[in-house]
DNA sequence: GCTGAAATCACACATTA
DNA sequence: TAATGTGTGATTTCAGC
């Protein structure tokens, strides 16, 4: 039962800023947006309370890891009943190497982005998690050579009048 | 000329924590890890200074957006000279809808993850950015039905003795 | 939106290994 | 000598008005 809420221009400006830097003092941010510091703080707290901001985190630069590689992994299951799919998804959720998992239409059932230290670690991962899972019919690996863009930032239009969003609370 | 730096157990514990929550007071975090507050702060500041922590951000829950959809887009270029590839990558970097872009081996040159408000917006995006770019030979869209996992968290082994990472400064 | 109390951050210095 | 811990002043957060 999703409730809805409107984000006004100020909310969207705050979100655009906080997605770049959430350590900026509320006072500095308030000055930037020409509002008072308590208003700024209240808005931010509200966005967190209702779940529009779901977390506040440090971002670790993946390229800092001396030896890291990515793999795309397409997987089709033997048994696609709800129970087995749920099982597979739960398993991927547990594995730290799995950065992203999508349920897709087409030839394969799942598309995974896997992050490992090197090719040997990838081989170990595939044997342990994929081919060893008992419910994988077929899988296929592809290796991106370079990540040229990666962002989690959602850009909000700061001019539009109003935007409706679903909220948790 | 990448410099290297060792991350000890404490660094890795801090990184694991801060990737979940970077708003925790340094004092609370220090108590958790049985160190003093200034030590905790110093280590964190250092991890930021050397670039292991590349940013500190708020995470917006994408499912809060009332109408959002994802698309996978595979693109092959007409001209693969360095100049044109650089050009394409720079263009994708500018477009807010492009969440991820990878240079891949195989049939296509690039794999994109695109986030738009609805199918019409996707059509507009493709016409404007992809088929309208002048250097795209072929492209192909796939639509993930469900994002079952998405994380940017890199999990560090807190038991291993030492880990070398590349640093910027 | 303003003000003030409580908490957090951030520094200089002493201490330890 | 390099890194940790102690104590203290400056900032920031956050509630009441």
């Amino acid at each position: 039962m999703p409730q809805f809420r409107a984000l006004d221009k100020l909310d969207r400006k705050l979100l655009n800023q906080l997605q770049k830097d959430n350590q900026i003092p509320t006072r500095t941010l308030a000055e930037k947006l020409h509002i008072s510091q308590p208003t700024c703080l209240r808005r931010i707290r509200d966005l967190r309370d209702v779940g529009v901001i779901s977390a506040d985190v440090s971002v670790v630069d993946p390229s800092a890891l001396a030896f890291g590689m990515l793999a795309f992994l397409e997987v089709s299951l033997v048994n696609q009943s709800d129970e087995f799919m749920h099982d597979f998804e739960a398993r991927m959720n547990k594995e730290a190497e799995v950065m992203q998992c999508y349920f897709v239409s087409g030839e394969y059932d799942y598309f995974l982005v896997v992050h490992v230290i090197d090719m040997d670690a990838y081989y170990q991962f595939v044997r342990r998690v994929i081919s060893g899972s008992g419910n994988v019919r077929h899988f296929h690996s592809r290796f991106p050579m370079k990540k040229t863009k990666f962002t989690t930032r959602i850009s909000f239009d700061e001019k539009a009048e109003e935007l409706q969003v679903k909220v948790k609370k």
Side-chain angles (χ1 to χ4, degrees), chain A residues 9 17 20 28 83 100-101 134 161:
Chain A
K9 289 183 188 180
Q17 289 294 325
K20 288 185 210 158
T28 313
E83 182 193 339
Q100 303 170 48
C101 181
E161 267 321 307

Side-chain angles (χ1 to χ4, degrees), chain A residues 52-167:
Chain A
V52 172
I53 292 176
S54 60
D56 285 271
V57 303
S58 294
V59 179
V60 172
D61 179 6
S63 72
L65 297 171
F67 301 96
M69 58 165 274
L70 285 180
F72 294 159
L73 190 42
E74 292 171 300
V75 178
S76 58
L77 300 185
V78 174
N79 188 327
Q80 288 184 41
S81 69
D82 196 61
E83 182 193 339
F84 282 91
M85 281 177 42
H86 194 275
D87 206 61
F88 180 82
E89 290 169 18
R91 190 152 179 189
M92 294 309 115
N93 263 306
K94 272 188 218 149
E95 298 294 338
E97 291 95 333
V98 178
M99 305 303 281
Q100 303 170 48
C101 181
Y102 303 89
F103 179 57
V104 292
S105 62
E107 198 184 344
Y108 291 90
D109 295 324
Y110 290 98
F111 180 91
L112 310 178
V113 178
V114 178
H115 184 255
V116 285
I117 213 83
D118 57 22
M119 191 53 95
D120 186 59
Y122 183 63
Y123 173 75
Q124 301 293 339
F125 170 81
V126 168
R127 295 299 298 257
R128 181 172 60 84
V129 177
I130 306 298
S131 58
S133 82
N135 191 30
V136 168
R137 182 170 58 82
H138 190 228
F139 64 89
H140 175 76
S141 299
R142 288 158 63 193
F143 300 100
M145 291 177 282
K146 177 78 181 164
K147 195 196 292 183
T148 69
K149 178 172 187 178
F150 185 91
T151 180
T152 58
R153 221 174 284 164
I154 295 169
S155 97
F156 291 96
D157 184 350
E158 297 181 358
K159 291 173 198 160
E161 267 321 307
E162 218 182 70
L163 174 68
Q164 292 290 328
V165 294
K166 287 181 270 189
V167 296

Side-chain angles (χ1 to χ4, degrees), chain A residues 18-19 21-23 44 47-48 53-59:
Chain A
L18 292 172
Q19 285 182 101
D21 177 11
N22 73 349
Q23 298 244 329
I44 294 172
L47 289 169
R48 290 194 175 120
I53 292 176
S54 60
D56 285 271
V57 303
S58 294
V59 179

